[in-house]
Amino acid sequence: MLHYAHEQLQGDYYTRAFQAGAQEDTLIINMGPQHPSTHGVLRIILELHGEYILRAEPVLGYVHRMQEKMGEVKTYPQYLANMGRVDYLHALAWNWAYVRAVEQLLELEVPERAEYVRVITCELNRITSHLLWWGAYLLDLGAFTPIMYGFADRERAMDLLQIITGSRLTYCYYTFGGVTADLTPQFIDGTKDFCKYMRTRLPMYKDLVTDNMILRHRVDDIGIISVDMARRYGVTGPNLRGSGVEHDLRRNTPYSIYDRFDFEIPAYEECDALARYLVRMDEMEQSISIIEQAIQSLPEGPVMPPKMPKVIKPPKGEAYGEVEGARGVIGIHVISDGTATPYRIKLRAPSFSNLSLFAEVSKGILLADAVSILGSLDLVIPEIDR
Amino acid sequence: MTMIKKTPKQSTLQGIKSLFVGLKVTGRNFVMPQITTHYPRKEVSNLATYRGHVDLVPKEDDPMTSKCILCGQCAKACPSNCIELVIRKEEVEPPPDEEAQPDSGSKEEATAKSAPKKKKVKRILDAFMLNYNLCSLCGQCVQTCPVDSLEFSTNSYLAGFTREEFIFDLLERMRNKQKASSSG
Ligand code: SF4
Ligand code: SF4
């Protein structure tokens, strides 16, 4: 017979607090922190009655890396490298949010070509992010093949991004005032080919997966997030658009040069996992269209402003940079006290809000559906913990 | 224009048909050529643009010394303090032809001449240490270098068993590379 210390049997703080409210004849289990469907180290404590979830509570903090605190000890350019590590799937959007905030502080003018380069690379990165989500979500739902197709295509996009950024995942490519390297002809030709190629792949995805009867049964009418609930939790991005709200920063408060392109904001009114799924599938198509338009009208010119200060020392003040990431609104609030180090950096991560509603939306559903809902929220755990 | 769409609904018949459509896609892919690479026997083709750890760039006229002017800006810019310059100071006699300069008659030069002649201190780079364990490949060092003395290597097969193997002396690496290329 094993003997445990009394405290060990009690569990940690979260378990004890969760247990206190448990009903009779229920089972409390941990989903995670090493559960394959949580994509990272997210732990969810569940109270089950048979197969049904009575209560759920996400426990965060397993990959907390003090990203905000690090901002207070590093200089402005040194902190750039952190941005790719907050959300490794859409790193360029985080790059962009940060440089936007600092550019506002410095009152820097970004050359036109650099804006185009940013749009092209950011949208390409959005496609890679959605492709990974697509494959991983279906993997959660029990389909193994789609992730192979998704990764094969994602690989092509990452090869392209590697040509100019030099890295494959945690990009550190944008810099204050522009981008660190200009596009090469190899990249431009490759991207044109990629767009053409993806236009043949997306219908294939539709045939293989989207129209599939088995998938429909797993996602249709599952995880209803009403507009009201979405608003209460501050949900943004494809999850909000899946609840029938056409909110997209690229359209609502067009930053950079997004107002020059012709694209749709896909939104579906059903509020279920299928709606969120379809929003992302449509978004990939829109991103391809934005890239094609941007490449076609790509102007010549420099990618950095002619006069850059040698040391980045913004004047006293604060600025908020926000962009539309693959998971929603990414916001970075930078406060400067006039030195070379930020006084405070606050990161707004969309996944954090998107996860918060899980406790509410998972009440009374089947355990298997909880996996489907979690996947449809497209969570990136390092972004939640920061 | 944007429009809030409805998710398309599916009848049972359509659902059953979808299963066969999916099988057709799978069947087509089954006979397509393989897209993965059988690694040790074949290499992937995208390694040329890979950005590995930084390397020193040699001078064009003297390949055994680097372009580096020992300013230390890269070490200061690095977010993770990876770079350390080992600098030796050496006193050198001023070259004699310095005195034979034409007299411009400016005031500063006059005072400099009247001051007792100091021995010049020359700073010599002994080693350029890079701790690759900490490097995040952010590129700040390459961007700050005023004389473009740093570049990214493209070595994607770097592997080792201990941490110590990833502390490089870039100067030595550069010289070894130059020696190898000149002899080979
Ligand atoms: S790439 Fe970045 S982390 Fe690496 S040595 Fe250079 S400045 Fe430091
Ligand atoms: S910034 Fe360039 S020149 Fe200055 S120490 Fe570093 S490598 Fe040498």
Side-chain angles (χ1 to χ4, degrees), chain B residues 99-169:
Chain B
E99 288 163 284
Q101 270 173 9
D103 203 341
S104 62
S106 82
K107 213 173 175 189
E108 285 94 331
E109 241 171 63
T111 49
K113 259 189 188 162
S114 60
K117 202 179 281 161
K118 262 198 208 142
K119 277 191 176 161
K120 255 204 172 164
V121 179
K122 202 174 162 198
R123 296 158 80 230
I124 296 170
L125 187 63
D126 264 352
F128 194 103
M129 302 307 291
L130 173 77
N131 189 346
Y132 190 46
N133 295 307
L134 308 176
C135 175
S136 53
L137 295 177
C138 65
Q140 291 301 332
C141 49
V142 177
Q143 281 162 41
T144 37
C145 182
V147 290
D148 293 332
S149 165
L150 289 171
E151 63 176 4
F152 288 107
S153 64
T154 55
N155 182 7
S156 53
Y157 289 120
L158 192 62
F161 288 102
T162 59
R163 276 162 188 250
E164 286 68 35
E165 283 167 59
F166 293 99
I167 300 176
F168 309 124
D169 180 358

Side-chain angles (χ1 to χ4, degrees), chain A residues 240-256:
Chain A
L240 181 63
R241 296 195 277 280
S243 297
V245 183
E246 305 166 52
H247 179 271
D248 189 317
L249 285 183
R250 291 175 293 172
R251 173 61 51 79
N252 289 56
T253 50
Y255 54 92
S256 181

Side-chain angles (χ1 to χ4, degrees), chain B residues 28-40:
Chain B
R28 207 167 355 151
N29 274 280
F30 187 71
V31 291
M32 281 219 250
Q34 184 186 357
I35 52 167
T36 47
T37 308
H38 211 167
Y39 163 58

